[in-house]
Amino acid sequence: MSVLPRRLRGRAVIPVAGGFLLLLILVAFAAPLVAPHDPTTGDLMRPAQLPSGQHWLGTDSLGRDVLSRIVYGARVALLAALVAVGVAVVIGLPAGLVLGYRGGWADRIVLRAAEGVNAMPFLLVAITFIAVLGPGLFKSMAVVGVVYAVMVLRLVRGETLAAREELYVTGAVVAGASTARILWRHLLPAVAPSLIVLVTTMFATSIVAEATLSYLGLGTQPPDASWGNMLADAQQTAFAHWFPAIPPGVAILVTVLAFNLLGDGLRDAFAREATGSVLDARPPAVTEPDPSLPDEPSTPDAPDTLVAVRGLSVSFPAPGERGRWVPAVTDVSFDIGRGEVVSLVGESGSGKSVTAMALAGLVPAPAVVEARSITFDGRELAGTDARTMRTLRAGSIGVVFQDPLKALNPAFTVGTQLTEGLRVVHGMSTQDARRAAAEWLDRVRIPDATHRLRQYPHEFSGGMAQRVMIAMALSAEPALLIADEPTTALDVTVQGEILDLLRELQEQTGMSLLIITHDQGVVADLAERVLVMYAGELVERGRVADVLTGPRHPYTAGLIASVPRNRRRTGPLPRVRGVVPAAGRWGEGCRFHDRCPFALPACATGTVALHTLDGGASRCLRTGDDLALADPAVWR
Ligand SMILES: Nc1ncnc2c1ncn2[C@@H]1O[C@H](COP(=O)(O)OP(=O)(O)OP(=O)(O)O)[C@@H](O)[C@H]1O
């Protein structure tokens, strides 16, 4: 199913408003066939009559049939709006695309001029132009269109400016695409959703503009019918005959309402697709144990437990299939001890980040996060409210992300960003917060802290920016720091420094650290225990020393065998063949069975339980069998 119909489904306002407007267009198009009378000739013997069998909406002051004039008026209103919106799009869209993409002096000049035009009430501008050009409907609406073009230009330019920074545009430039192709193929689709919404609402304001101009005598000229001049006509006799003002008033009202509702519906449809925001993230809900799934062992692995997760599952809405959910993580249970460093490993897409973010209540909406229980420092988080989750996150959980330069706000200095949490969460005065922020920069070994606090993120290298992120996360003195691939975006020499820093700070503060990584060096160097995830579930957990030297799940063994070593090799690099199945497409049996060199027919059926073992656990039917897991030949 294509994207547009998918986005429109389930939004009743769109078909209702759209259906009405479609009907109006048909009626307007077929006006000569539909209108019961000639709209311009009246019966002077029968002026201002109330509705009757012959004239369903009565007659106006000149005895003309009001219904027929409404029908012809619809034609005028829609055509006039089409002219205004057409002119606006024809001028504003290409200009906005080119100015947004090219920038430079032309952009600056046009933008200043556009701001000038925008600052003036558009009807006054239009009336001034019409005063010079002379009245006439389409001339008037073309002038309105020119004024609207400024709105289109500003919107398209802004959207283009944002879209041209996207990597796919850089990719197209690298691939040698011409400017025209980049504008047409890559930037126009990015601009289209907002433009469609603007166009819809511009239709509504154009209908009002046409009615206003015709009411003032600057648009449609009598005897031609327009809703605006019908109102003007009715107003002259309003005290004696009130009814003729009602039909054109209602026609304008309902049509404008329909366009606005359609615009709102479309905006919601596009916005809904664009969500996935952590701003709307919901705290984990409580679930009952699923009888079809084997019970996870509840014996805590960690001696002094800070975090205990039981039966965590996260699902996302299936793209294009309303009401269907795709599980990304299922029934994950683990503990993190106080002051313990635990690493979470697994291939891309195995559910590591989703699991960690679920702990912090940061899985973007509209995901559904459920767990039988998640306790943090003895407090139950499953079933808690968003406010409690936010308070906990602000005071007890810190997060460091992969790309520090993306995680810092480019618009504010590092000092502003570092002191914000200290002031807001810890209630420090601005001076105390600045002093504490400078101390934190010292602790993460950023020299010349006072000066650095005044600088913006782009003045920091990746490694330095990651130190700032660590300082920000730790300044709230969290009991748990979640580090989601904190060194992946950094070069190798800096990676070591950041890891040393993390270890040092972890030892100094006694916090627990959950570190997500692809790097087994990091696991070996930093962590005490490791959790291995595959296709949304935990497949092995144990002490790092045990797991790295004697993995008990074939997947863990495959991961370890795949690490390139610093020695001369003959033959292909050992690897786990195949790819992680897409979320929810795991099939029956062990989720790893079709990539596993040790799989038996039994592995392809039923559900495989996590077997508790000495100091850990493994989710494999062959746990206990004597397998040559570490033999590199198995993985070639
Ligand atoms: N916001 C989201 N909407 C829909 N699906 C999502 C969303 N975030 C994650 N997923 C899906 O959840 C699954 C697990 O993703 P997750 O990011 O946790 O993997 P990961 O193991 O951390 O991978 P990586 O190492 O690449 O970060 C993936 O299949 C992913 O497509």
Side-chain angles (χ1 to χ4, degrees), residues 275-276 316-317 319 326-329 345-356 363-367 402 484-485 516 518 533 536 581-584:
T275 55
F316 292 99
V326 178
V329 162
V345 300
E347 277 165 291
S348 202
S350 53
K352 306 181 297 292
S353 300
V354 168
T355 301
V363 182
Q402 191 180 108
D484 191 348
E485 300 188 38
I516 300 175
H518 287 279
M533 287 198 71

PDB file of all heavy atoms in Angstrom, residues 275-276 316-317 319 326-329 345-356 363-367 402 484-485 516 518 533 536 581-584, ligand 1:
ATOM      1  N   THR A 275       5.693  10.957  14.247  1.00  0.00           N
ATOM      2  CA  THR A 275       5.989  10.824  15.664  1.00  0.00           C
ATOM      3  C   THR A 275       6.975   9.708  15.873  1.00  0.00           C
ATOM      4  O   THR A 275       7.641   9.263  14.965  1.00  0.00           O
ATOM      5  CB  THR A 275       4.735  10.546  16.511  1.00  0.00           C
ATOM      6  OG1 THR A 275       4.112   9.406  15.978  1.00  0.00           O
ATOM      7  CG2 THR A 275       3.842  11.738  16.607  1.00  0.00           C
ATOM      8  N   GLY A 276       6.990   9.174  17.042  1.00  0.00           N
ATOM      9  CA  GLY A 276       8.082   8.291  17.375  1.00  0.00           C
ATOM     10  C   GLY A 276       8.932   9.140  18.277  1.00  0.00           C
ATOM     11  O   GLY A 276      10.127   9.013  18.319  1.00  0.00           O
ATOM     12  N   PHE A 316       6.280  -2.217  18.496  1.00  0.00           N
ATOM     13  CA  PHE A 316       6.053  -0.993  17.727  1.00  0.00           C
ATOM     14  C   PHE A 316       4.897  -1.244  16.759  1.00  0.00           C
ATOM     15  O   PHE A 316       4.664  -2.384  16.356  1.00  0.00           O
ATOM     16  CB  PHE A 316       7.305  -0.619  16.931  1.00  0.00           C
ATOM     17  CG  PHE A 316       8.442  -0.186  17.809  1.00  0.00           C
ATOM     18  CD1 PHE A 316       9.457  -1.064  18.150  1.00  0.00           C
ATOM     19  CD2 PHE A 316       8.486   1.108  18.305  1.00  0.00           C
ATOM     20  CE1 PHE A 316      10.500  -0.663  18.968  1.00  0.00           C
ATOM     21  CE2 PHE A 316       9.528   1.525  19.117  1.00  0.00           C
ATOM     22  CZ  PHE A 316      10.532   0.635  19.444  1.00  0.00           C
ATOM     23  N   PRO A 317       4.197  -0.176  16.350  1.00  0.00           N
ATOM     24  CA  PRO A 317       3.120  -0.387  15.377  1.00  0.00           C
ATOM     25  C   PRO A 317       3.690  -0.887  14.050  1.00  0.00           C
ATOM     26  O   PRO A 317       4.747  -0.415  13.624  1.00  0.00           O
ATOM     27  CB  PRO A 317       2.510   1.007  15.194  1.00  0.00           C
ATOM     28  CG  PRO A 317       3.229   1.916  16.114  1.00  0.00           C
ATOM     29  CD  PRO A 317       4.366   1.214  16.736  1.00  0.00           C
ATOM     30  N   PRO A 319       4.342  -0.977  10.326  1.00  0.00           N
ATOM     31  CA  PRO A 319       4.177   0.070   9.314  1.00  0.00           C
ATOM     32  C   PRO A 319       3.091  -0.316   8.322  1.00  0.00           C
ATOM     33  O   PRO A 319       3.109  -1.421   7.774  1.00  0.00           O
ATOM     34  CB  PRO A 319       5.544   0.151   8.634  1.00  0.00           C
ATOM     35  CG  PRO A 319       6.460  -0.693   9.438  1.00  0.00           C
ATOM     36  CD  PRO A 319       5.656  -1.564  10.335  1.00  0.00           C
ATOM     37  N   VAL A 326       4.302  -4.982  16.098  1.00  0.00           N
ATOM     38  CA  VAL A 326       5.438  -5.866  15.843  1.00  0.00           C
ATOM     39  C   VAL A 326       6.308  -5.902  17.096  1.00  0.00           C
ATOM     40  O   VAL A 326       6.772  -4.857  17.564  1.00  0.00           O
ATOM     41  CB  VAL A 326       6.288  -5.327  14.665  1.00  0.00           C
ATOM     42  CG1 VAL A 326       7.494  -6.207  14.440  1.00  0.00           C
ATOM     43  CG2 VAL A 326       5.456  -5.220  13.423  1.00  0.00           C
ATOM     44  N   PRO A 327       6.529  -7.091  17.652  1.00  0.00           N
ATOM     45  CA  PRO A 327       7.385  -7.143  18.838  1.00  0.00           C
ATOM     46  C   PRO A 327       8.850  -6.901  18.463  1.00  0.00           C
ATOM     47  O   PRO A 327       9.337  -7.459  17.478  1.00  0.00           O
ATOM     48  CB  PRO A 327       7.184  -8.569  19.359  1.00  0.00           C
ATOM     49  CG  PRO A 327       6.692  -9.342  18.198  1.00  0.00           C
ATOM     50  CD  PRO A 327       6.004  -8.399  17.260  1.00  0.00           C
ATOM     51  N   ALA A 328       9.520  -6.052  19.216  1.00  0.00           N
ATOM     52  CA  ALA A 328      10.945  -5.803  18.963  1.00  0.00           C
ATOM     53  C   ALA A 328      11.784  -6.484  20.029  1.00  0.00           C
ATOM     54  O   ALA A 328      12.908  -6.922  19.788  1.00  0.00           O
ATOM     55  CB  ALA A 328      11.228  -4.309  18.968  1.00  0.00           C
ATOM     56  N   VAL A 329      11.215  -6.590  21.228  1.00  0.00           N
ATOM     57  CA  VAL A 329      11.902  -7.224  22.348  1.00  0.00           C
ATOM     58  C   VAL A 329      10.858  -8.043  23.087  1.00  0.00           C
ATOM     59  O   VAL A 329       9.742  -7.569  23.289  1.00  0.00           O
ATOM     60  CB  VAL A 329      12.494  -6.129  23.279  1.00  0.00           C
ATOM     61  CG1 VAL A 329      12.825  -6.688  24.637  1.00  0.00           C
ATOM     62  CG2 VAL A 329      13.714  -5.485  22.655  1.00  0.00           C
ATOM     63  N   VAL A 345      25.346  -6.878  24.551  1.00  0.00           N
ATOM     64  CA  VAL A 345      25.914  -7.046  23.208  1.00  0.00           C
ATOM     65  C   VAL A 345      24.930  -7.784  22.304  1.00  0.00           C
ATOM     66  O   VAL A 345      23.944  -8.355  22.764  1.00  0.00           O
ATOM     67  CB  VAL A 345      27.265  -7.821  23.244  1.00  0.00           C
ATOM     68  CG1 VAL A 345      28.290  -7.084  24.071  1.00  0.00           C
ATOM     69  CG2 VAL A 345      27.070  -9.239  23.752  1.00  0.00           C
ATOM     70  N   GLY A 346      25.249  -7.784  21.013  1.00  0.00           N
ATOM     71  CA  GLY A 346      24.379  -8.435  20.030  1.00  0.00           C
ATOM     72  C   GLY A 346      24.480  -7.668  18.730  1.00  0.00           C
ATOM     73  O   GLY A 346      24.876  -6.501  18.714  1.00  0.00           O
ATOM     74  N   GLU A 347      24.092  -8.347  17.624  1.00  0.00           N
ATOM     75  CA  GLU A 347      24.161  -7.680  16.321  1.00  0.00           C
ATOM     76  C   GLU A 347      23.193  -6.506  16.253  1.00  0.00           C
ATOM     77  O   GLU A 347      22.263  -6.418  17.059  1.00  0.00           O
ATOM     78  CB  GLU A 347      23.778  -8.679  15.220  1.00  0.00           C
ATOM     79  CG  GLU A 347      24.905  -9.571  14.765  1.00  0.00           C
ATOM     80  CD  GLU A 347      24.340 -10.736  13.984  1.00  0.00           C
ATOM     81  OE1 GLU A 347      23.672 -11.584  14.602  1.00  0.00           O
ATOM     82  OE2 GLU A 347      24.565 -10.804  12.777  1.00  0.00           O
ATOM     83  N   SER A 348      23.380  -5.700  15.234  1.00  0.00           N
ATOM     84  CA  SER A 348      22.497  -4.571  14.998  1.00  0.00           C
ATOM     85  C   SER A 348      21.052  -5.073  14.856  1.00  0.00           C
ATOM     86  O   SER A 348      20.815  -6.070  14.165  1.00  0.00           O
ATOM     87  CB  SER A 348      22.938  -3.899  13.708  1.00  0.00           C
ATOM     88  OG  SER A 348      22.489  -2.610  13.686  1.00  0.00           O
ATOM     89  N   GLY A 349      20.131  -4.414  15.522  1.00  0.00           N
ATOM     90  CA  GLY A 349      18.717  -4.797  15.396  1.00  0.00           C
ATOM     91  C   GLY A 349      18.296  -5.883  16.360  1.00  0.00           C
ATOM     92  O   GLY A 349      17.166  -6.357  16.304  1.00  0.00           O
ATOM     93  N   SER A 350      19.197  -6.288  17.281  1.00  0.00           N
ATOM     94  CA  SER A 350      18.816  -7.371  18.180  1.00  0.00           C
ATOM     95  C   SER A 350      17.984  -6.880  19.363  1.00  0.00           C
ATOM     96  O   SER A 350      17.436  -7.683  20.105  1.00  0.00           O
ATOM     97  CB  SER A 350      20.050  -8.126  18.656  1.00  0.00           C
ATOM     98  OG  SER A 350      20.975  -7.226  19.194  1.00  0.00           O
ATOM     99  N   GLY A 351      17.904  -5.556  19.546  1.00  0.00           N
ATOM    100  CA  GLY A 351      17.021  -5.030  20.596  1.00  0.00           C
ATOM    101  C   GLY A 351      17.750  -4.459  21.804  1.00  0.00           C
ATOM    102  O   GLY A 351      17.130  -4.232  22.841  1.00  0.00           O
ATOM    103  N   LYS A 352      19.045  -4.183  21.653  1.00  0.00           N
ATOM    104  CA  LYS A 352      19.826  -3.695  22.797  1.00  0.00           C
ATOM    105  C   LYS A 352      19.356  -2.301  23.239  1.00  0.00           C
ATOM    106  O   LYS A 352      19.055  -2.089  24.403  1.00  0.00           O
ATOM    107  CB  LYS A 352      21.329  -3.631  22.425  1.00  0.00           C
ATOM    108  CG  LYS A 352      21.884  -4.935  21.888  1.00  0.00           C
ATOM    109  CD  LYS A 352      23.352  -4.822  21.560  1.00  0.00           C
ATOM    110  CE  LYS A 352      23.688  -3.830  20.459  1.00  0.00           C
ATOM    111  NZ  LYS A 352      23.229  -4.202  19.115  1.00  0.00           N
ATOM    112  N   SER A 353      19.306  -1.382  22.270  1.00  0.00           N
ATOM    113  CA  SER A 353      18.932  -0.007  22.635  1.00  0.00           C
ATOM    114  C   SER A 353      17.509   0.037  23.161  1.00  0.00           C
ATOM    115  O   SER A 353      17.222   0.730  24.140  1.00  0.00           O
ATOM    116  CB  SER A 353      19.024   0.915  21.419  1.00  0.00           C
ATOM    117  OG  SER A 353      20.322   0.919  20.945  1.00  0.00           O
ATOM    118  N   VAL A 354      16.618  -0.704  22.508  1.00  0.00           N
ATOM    119  CA  VAL A 354      15.215  -0.681  22.936  1.00  0.00           C
ATOM    120  C   VAL A 354      15.113  -1.176  24.382  1.00  0.00           C
ATOM    121  O   VAL A 354      14.405  -0.592  25.210  1.00  0.00           O
ATOM    122  CB  VAL A 354      14.350  -1.533  21.978  1.00  0.00           C
ATOM    123  CG1 VAL A 354      12.967  -1.765  22.546  1.00  0.00           C
ATOM    124  CG2 VAL A 354      14.252  -0.858  20.618  1.00  0.00           C
ATOM    125  N   THR A 355      15.858  -2.231  24.705  1.00  0.00           N
ATOM    126  CA  THR A 355      15.834  -2.759  26.073  1.00  0.00           C
ATOM    127  C   THR A 355      16.332  -1.708  27.058  1.00  0.00           C
ATOM    128  O   THR A 355      15.698  -1.445  28.083  1.00  0.00           O
ATOM    129  CB  THR A 355      16.740  -4.018  26.154  1.00  0.00           C
ATOM    130  OG1 THR A 355      16.233  -4.968  25.226  1.00  0.00           O
ATOM    131  CG2 THR A 355      16.769  -4.601  27.536  1.00  0.00           C
ATOM    132  N   ALA A 356      17.472  -1.094  26.732  1.00  0.00           N
ATOM    133  CA  ALA A 356      18.060  -0.129  27.662  1.00  0.00           C
ATOM    134  C   ALA A 356      17.173   1.110  27.798  1.00  0.00           C
ATOM    135  O   ALA A 356      16.962   1.617  28.899  1.00  0.00           O
ATOM    136  CB  ALA A 356      19.454   0.260  27.180  1.00  0.00           C
ATOM    137  N   VAL A 363      11.553   4.821  25.368  1.00  0.00           N
ATOM    138  CA  VAL A 363      11.238   4.232  24.064  1.00  0.00           C
ATOM    139  C   VAL A 363      10.210   5.141  23.392  1.00  0.00           C
ATOM    140  O   VAL A 363       9.170   5.447  23.980  1.00  0.00           O
ATOM    141  CB  VAL A 363      10.660   2.803  24.208  1.00  0.00           C
ATOM    142  CG1 VAL A 363      10.390   2.220  22.836  1.00  0.00           C
ATOM    143  CG2 VAL A 363      11.628   1.925  24.963  1.00  0.00           C
ATOM    144  N   PRO A 364      10.517   5.617  22.180  1.00  0.00           N
ATOM    145  CA  PRO A 364       9.631   6.619  21.576  1.00  0.00           C
ATOM    146  C   PRO A 364       8.208   6.107  21.363  1.00  0.00           C
ATOM    147  O   PRO A 364       8.009   4.957  20.993  1.00  0.00           O
ATOM    148  CB  PRO A 364      10.289   6.933  20.225  1.00  0.00           C
ATOM    149  CG  PRO A 364      11.424   5.995  20.076  1.00  0.00           C
ATOM    150  CD  PRO A 364      11.652   5.264  21.344  1.00  0.00           C
ATOM    151  N   ALA A 365       7.241   7.004  21.640  1.00  0.00           N
ATOM    152  CA  ALA A 365       5.835   6.680  21.382  1.00  0.00           C
ATOM    153  C   ALA A 365       5.671   6.457  19.886  1.00  0.00           C
ATOM    154  O   ALA A 365       6.468   6.984  19.107  1.00  0.00           O
ATOM    155  CB  ALA A 365       4.974   7.839  21.843  1.00  0.00           C
ATOM    156  N   PRO A 366       4.708   5.685  19.441  1.00  0.00           N
ATOM    157  CA  PRO A 366       3.653   5.043  20.221  1.00  0.00           C
ATOM    158  C   PRO A 366       3.980   3.612  20.646  1.00  0.00           C
ATOM    159  O   PRO A 366       3.080   2.778  20.721  1.00  0.00           O
ATOM    160  CB  PRO A 366       2.494   5.072  19.228  1.00  0.00           C
ATOM    161  CG  PRO A 366       3.155   4.912  17.887  1.00  0.00           C
ATOM    162  CD  PRO A 366       4.506   5.534  17.983  1.00  0.00           C
ATOM    163  N   ALA A 367       5.243   3.319  20.920  1.00  0.00           N
ATOM    164  CA  ALA A 367       5.610   1.956  21.308  1.00  0.00           C
ATOM    165  C   ALA A 367       4.851   1.523  22.565  1.00  0.00           C
ATOM    166  O   ALA A 367       4.491   2.356  23.388  1.00  0.00           O
ATOM    167  CB  ALA A 367       7.104   1.902  21.585  1.00  0.00           C
ATOM    168  N   GLN A 402      25.316   7.629  21.404  1.00  0.00           N
ATOM    169  CA  GLN A 402      26.406   7.294  20.495  1.00  0.00           C
ATOM    170  C   GLN A 402      27.095   8.533  19.924  1.00  0.00           C
ATOM    171  O   GLN A 402      28.302   8.632  19.951  1.00  0.00           O
ATOM    172  CB  GLN A 402      25.803   6.478  19.358  1.00  0.00           C
ATOM    173  CG  GLN A 402      26.817   5.826  18.484  1.00  0.00           C
ATOM    174  CD  GLN A 402      26.117   5.031  17.394  1.00  0.00           C
ATOM    175  OE1 GLN A 402      26.136   5.420  16.247  1.00  0.00           O
ATOM    176  NE2 GLN A 402      25.499   3.924  17.730  1.00  0.00           N
ATOM    177  N   ASP A 484      24.951   4.131  25.562  1.00  0.00           N
ATOM    178  CA  ASP A 484      24.553   3.418  24.341  1.00  0.00           C
ATOM    179  C   ASP A 484      25.618   3.617  23.268  1.00  0.00           C
ATOM    180  O   ASP A 484      25.653   4.655  22.615  1.00  0.00           O
ATOM    181  CB  ASP A 484      23.185   3.944  23.873  1.00  0.00           C
ATOM    182  CG  ASP A 484      22.589   3.079  22.767  1.00  0.00           C
ATOM    183  OD1 ASP A 484      23.319   2.237  22.212  1.00  0.00           O
ATOM    184  OD2 ASP A 484      21.401   3.240  22.454  1.00  0.00           O
ATOM    185  N   GLU A 485      26.473   2.658  23.133  1.00  0.00           N
ATOM    186  CA  GLU A 485      27.600   2.711  22.192  1.00  0.00           C
ATOM    187  C   GLU A 485      28.329   4.055  22.297  1.00  0.00           C
ATOM    188  O   GLU A 485      28.441   4.792  21.315  1.00  0.00           O
ATOM    189  CB  GLU A 485      27.105   2.468  20.762  1.00  0.00           C
ATOM    190  CG  GLU A 485      26.435   1.111  20.622  1.00  0.00           C
ATOM    191  CD  GLU A 485      26.117   0.779  19.181  1.00  0.00           C
ATOM    192  OE1 GLU A 485      26.940   1.107  18.322  1.00  0.00           O
ATOM    193  OE2 GLU A 485      25.058   0.190  18.940  1.00  0.00           O
ATOM    194  N   ILE A 516      26.113  -0.484  26.243  1.00  0.00           N
ATOM    195  CA  ILE A 516      25.759  -1.203  25.013  1.00  0.00           C
ATOM    196  C   ILE A 516      26.939  -1.072  24.074  1.00  0.00           C
ATOM    197  O   ILE A 516      27.448   0.034  23.863  1.00  0.00           O
ATOM    198  CB  ILE A 516      24.520  -0.572  24.361  1.00  0.00           C
ATOM    199  CG1 ILE A 516      23.347  -0.626  25.330  1.00  0.00           C
ATOM    200  CG2 ILE A 516      24.178  -1.255  23.046  1.00  0.00           C
ATOM    201  CD1 ILE A 516      22.112   0.082  24.822  1.00  0.00           C
ATOM    202  N   HIS A 518      29.297  -2.968  20.538  1.00  0.00           N
ATOM    203  CA  HIS A 518      29.573  -4.048  19.582  1.00  0.00           C
ATOM    204  C   HIS A 518      30.999  -4.541  19.790  1.00  0.00           C
ATOM    205  O   HIS A 518      31.441  -5.469  19.129  1.00  0.00           O
ATOM    206  CB  HIS A 518      29.479  -3.514  18.149  1.00  0.00           C
ATOM    207  CG  HIS A 518      28.079  -3.237  17.721  1.00  0.00           C
ATOM    208  ND1 HIS A 518      27.251  -4.222  17.277  1.00  0.00           N
ATOM    209  CD2 HIS A 518      27.355  -2.110  17.675  1.00  0.00           C
ATOM    210  CE1 HIS A 518      26.077  -3.699  16.963  1.00  0.00           C
ATOM    211  NE2 HIS A 518      26.120  -2.414  17.204  1.00  0.00           N
ATOM    212  N   MET A 533      22.102 -10.397  23.427  1.00  0.00           N
ATOM    213  CA  MET A 533      20.754 -10.391  22.856  1.00  0.00           C
ATOM    214  C   MET A 533      20.790 -10.841  21.410  1.00  0.00           C
ATOM    215  O   MET A 533      21.740 -10.544  20.668  1.00  0.00           O
ATOM    216  CB  MET A 533      20.155  -8.989  22.928  1.00  0.00           C
ATOM    217  CG  MET A 533      19.768  -8.605  24.342  1.00  0.00           C
ATOM    218  SD  MET A 533      18.634  -7.222  24.371  1.00  0.00           S
ATOM    219  CE  MET A 533      17.128  -7.921  23.744  1.00  0.00           C
ATOM    220  N   GLY A 536      15.661  -9.885  19.585  1.00  0.00           N
ATOM    221  CA  GLY A 536      14.690  -9.417  20.563  1.00  0.00           C
ATOM    222  C   GLY A 536      14.633 -10.191  21.855  1.00  0.00           C
ATOM    223  O   GLY A 536      13.777  -9.913  22.689  1.00  0.00           O
ATOM    224  N   PRO A 581      16.911 -11.808  11.722  1.00  0.00           N
ATOM    225  CA  PRO A 581      15.597 -11.622  11.097  1.00  0.00           C
ATOM    226  C   PRO A 581      14.971 -10.306  11.561  1.00  0.00           C
ATOM    227  O   PRO A 581      15.260  -9.841  12.663  1.00  0.00           O
ATOM    228  CB  PRO A 581      14.780 -12.819  11.594  1.00  0.00           C
ATOM    229  CG  PRO A 581      15.522 -13.364  12.755  1.00  0.00           C
ATOM    230  CD  PRO A 581      16.944 -12.942  12.645  1.00  0.00           C
ATOM    231  N   ALA A 582      14.146  -9.728  10.698  1.00  0.00           N
ATOM    232  CA  ALA A 582      13.488  -8.457  11.045  1.00  0.00           C
ATOM    233  C   ALA A 582      12.615  -8.656  12.279  1.00  0.00           C
ATOM    234  O   ALA A 582      12.148  -9.775  12.540  1.00  0.00           O
ATOM    235  CB  ALA A 582      12.638  -7.991   9.870  1.00  0.00           C
ATOM    236  N   ALA A 583      12.405  -7.564  13.002  1.00  0.00           N
ATOM    237  CA  ALA A 583      11.629  -7.633  14.245  1.00  0.00           C
ATOM    238  C   ALA A 583      10.302  -8.357  14.011  1.00  0.00           C
ATOM    239  O   ALA A 583       9.603  -8.084  13.043  1.00  0.00           O
ATOM    240  CB  ALA A 583      11.375  -6.223  14.767  1.00  0.00           C
ATOM    241  N   GLY A 584      10.007  -9.293  14.873  1.00  0.00           N
ATOM    242  CA  GLY A 584       8.727 -10.006  14.816  1.00  0.00           C
ATOM    243  C   GLY A 584       8.685 -11.147  13.807  1.00  0.00           C
ATOM    244  O   GLY A 584       7.780 -11.963  13.832  1.00  0.00           O
TER     245      GLY A 584
HETATM  246  N1  LIG B   1      11.150   3.825  16.926  1.00  0.00           N
HETATM  247  C1  LIG B   1      11.044   2.616  16.390  1.00  0.00           C
HETATM  248  N2  LIG B   1       9.990   2.284  15.605  1.00  0.00           N
HETATM  249  C2  LIG B   1       9.846   1.060  15.076  1.00  0.00           C
HETATM  250  N3  LIG B   1      10.736   0.066  15.262  1.00  0.00           N
HETATM  251  C3  LIG B   1      11.808   0.321  16.021  1.00  0.00           C
HETATM  252  C4  LIG B   1      12.025   1.605  16.628  1.00  0.00           C
HETATM  253  N4  LIG B   1      13.189   1.552  17.337  1.00  0.00           N
HETATM  254  C5  LIG B   1      13.665   0.294  17.176  1.00  0.00           C
HETATM  255  N5  LIG B   1      12.845  -0.438  16.399  1.00  0.00           N
HETATM  256  C6  LIG B   1      13.034  -1.835  15.997  1.00  0.00           C
HETATM  257  O1  LIG B   1      13.374  -2.571  17.138  1.00  0.00           O
HETATM  258  C7  LIG B   1      14.365  -3.529  16.821  1.00  0.00           C
HETATM  259  C8  LIG B   1      15.514  -3.411  17.804  1.00  0.00           C
HETATM  260  O2  LIG B   1      16.158  -2.150  17.603  1.00  0.00           O
HETATM  261  P1  LIG B   1      17.367  -1.653  18.517  1.00  0.00           P
HETATM  262  O3  LIG B   1      17.689  -0.260  18.101  1.00  0.00           O
HETATM  263  O4  LIG B   1      17.093  -1.897  19.944  1.00  0.00           O
HETATM  264  O5  LIG B   1      18.531  -2.606  18.036  1.00  0.00           O
HETATM  265  P2  LIG B   1      20.035  -2.576  18.511  1.00  0.00           P
HETATM  266  O6  LIG B   1      20.373  -3.965  18.898  1.00  0.00           O
HETATM  267  O7  LIG B   1      20.263  -1.523  19.544  1.00  0.00           O
HETATM  268  O8  LIG B   1      20.747  -2.196  17.151  1.00  0.00           O
HETATM  269  P3  LIG B   1      21.981  -1.204  16.889  1.00  0.00           P
HETATM  270  O9  LIG B   1      23.192  -1.910  17.377  1.00  0.00           O
HETATM  271  O10 LIG B   1      21.980  -1.042  15.403  1.00  0.00           O
HETATM  272  O11 LIG B   1      21.697   0.071  17.635  1.00  0.00           O
HETATM  273  C9  LIG B   1      14.794  -3.277  15.396  1.00  0.00           C
HETATM  274  O12 LIG B   1      14.196  -4.242  14.565  1.00  0.00           O
HETATM  275  C10 LIG B   1      14.234  -1.930  15.074  1.00  0.00           C
HETATM  276  O13 LIG B   1      13.844  -1.865  13.734  1.00  0.00           O
END
